[in-house]
Amino acid sequence: MAFVPVPRASVSDHVFGQLRDAIVSGRYQPEETLPGERDLAATFAVNRHAVREALRRLQQLGLVRVSQGGATRVLDWRVHAGLDLALSLARSGDVLPVETLVRDMLEMRACIGIDAARLCAERGDPEVTAALVRAAEEYGALAPDLDRMHEANIAIWWLIVRGSGNTAYLLAFNSLVAGTFAVGDVPPDARAAELLDVAGHRRLAAAVAAGQGTAAARHARALLTAPVTTPTPTPATRREARA
């Protein structure tokens, strides 16, 4: 296959990115052997150290395995990779070759957010709760500016996930929001139904503040499933969001 020679700056990054994309796109199939370090170095016109560093990063992502004897075999990313692969792709402007990926990540976000809201209410960190109530009250003043509401929405959910006391949820949340959900471009318009529900955000904050875990989960579900189930609101609906 034809690879593109890379500039001398950050050569290992370029080698890593091209090999990663070749594997994720299916140009190299699982269990297929990559060319050796010497051949890759010649193909990319770089030294073997840059190739070795790129292969190490691919192995960390779960994309390759170095077999006995030094052969590098491709792994099935669907079996071995984690969210760090999506984050790596998002940083380079690429996405996984899965048509439903944005929907899938929004559904994962909903699952985490719903339970995090319940836990945040039940565990009741006063500092987080007070900050959440203030953030929800200030949120409505941003409507109908979806870009600003998007940023404020992330801050609200960070407080909820932090207040849940679940470190795994927090790390997953960080991955989901890095690089716009870490899967490519998810414009605020795609989440307008959620973002413009100012009253829903206030109900959620109030339920958390009252320690009502079941109610908090219910309000979180209504907000977080809206991007998957509700059509994008009209300009008139956006103006009404201030109410």
Side-chain angles (χ1 to χ4, degrees):
M1 72 187 308
F3 288 114
V4 180
V6 299
R8 292 300 172 188
S10 303
V11 290
S12 66
D13 287 344
H14 290 275
V15 175
F16 162 75
Q18 291 192 57
L19 288 173
R20 177 202 59 203
D21 292 350
I23 293 169
V24 171
S25 67
R27 289 160 67 189
Y28 279 115
Q29 294 296 312
E31 295 304 318
E32 190 172 347
T33 302
L34 291 181
E37 287 184 7
R38 186 187 303 275
D39 291 336
L40 286 173
T43 299
F44 287 114
V46 300
N47 59 46
R48 293 180 66 176
H49 174 76
V51 171
R52 195 172 299 119
E53 173 63 17
L55 293 176
R56 182 189 65 79
R57 293 172 62 187
L58 291 172
Q59 188 169 22
Q60 288 178 335
L61 284 181
L63 296 181
V64 301
R65 177 183 65 248
V66 179
S67 303
Q68 187 175 5
T72 302
R73 295 191 179 277
V74 174
L75 298 175
D76 187 341
W77 63 265
R78 293 173 177 82
V79 176
H80 298 279
L83 282 177
D84 48 350
L85 172 60
L87 183 57
S88 169
L89 286 163
R91 286 171 175 165
S92 66
D94 295 329
V95 297
L96 290 172
V98 178
E99 292 182 0
T100 61
L101 188 59
V102 170
R103 181 208 66 188
D104 297 345
M105 297 296 275
L106 287 171
E107 289 175 349
M108 177 181 175
R109 173 176 173 265
C111 290
I112 292 173
I114 291 166
D115 198 48
R118 176 187 66 83
L119 291 173
C120 186
E122 293 175 352
R123 291 172 177 169
D125 183 324
E127 180 183 350
V128 172
T129 298
L132 175 61
V133 171
R134 287 195 303 271
E137 285 301 314
E138 296 167 358
Y139 182 73
L142 303 177
D145 187 333
L146 289 180
D147 290 325
R148 294 180 66 195
M149 295 181 85
H150 168 71
E151 294 299 323
N153 174 268
I154 289 176
I156 285 173
W157 282 105
W158 184 83
L159 286 168
I160 291 172
V161 176
R162 174 188 166 193
S164 75
N166 188 305
T167 302
Y169 283 175
L170 184 60
L171 294 175
F173 175 83
N174 290 341
S175 292
L176 286 168
V177 300
T180 317
F181 292 103
V183 293
D185 186 23
V186 184
D189 275 352
R191 299 174 50 230
E194 172 197 351
L195 294 177
L196 292 172
D197 189 355
V198 173
H201 284 80
R202 289 173 177 164
R203 286 192 293 268
L204 172 58
V208 170
Q212 299 171 348
T214 300
R218 182 174 69 252
H219 295 315
R221 179 182 296 278
L223 287 170
L224 295 176
T225 58
V228 183
T229 61
T230 307
T232 301
T234 64
T237 308
R238 295 185 186 186
R239 290 192 294 271
E240 293 170 1
R242 287 183 177 273

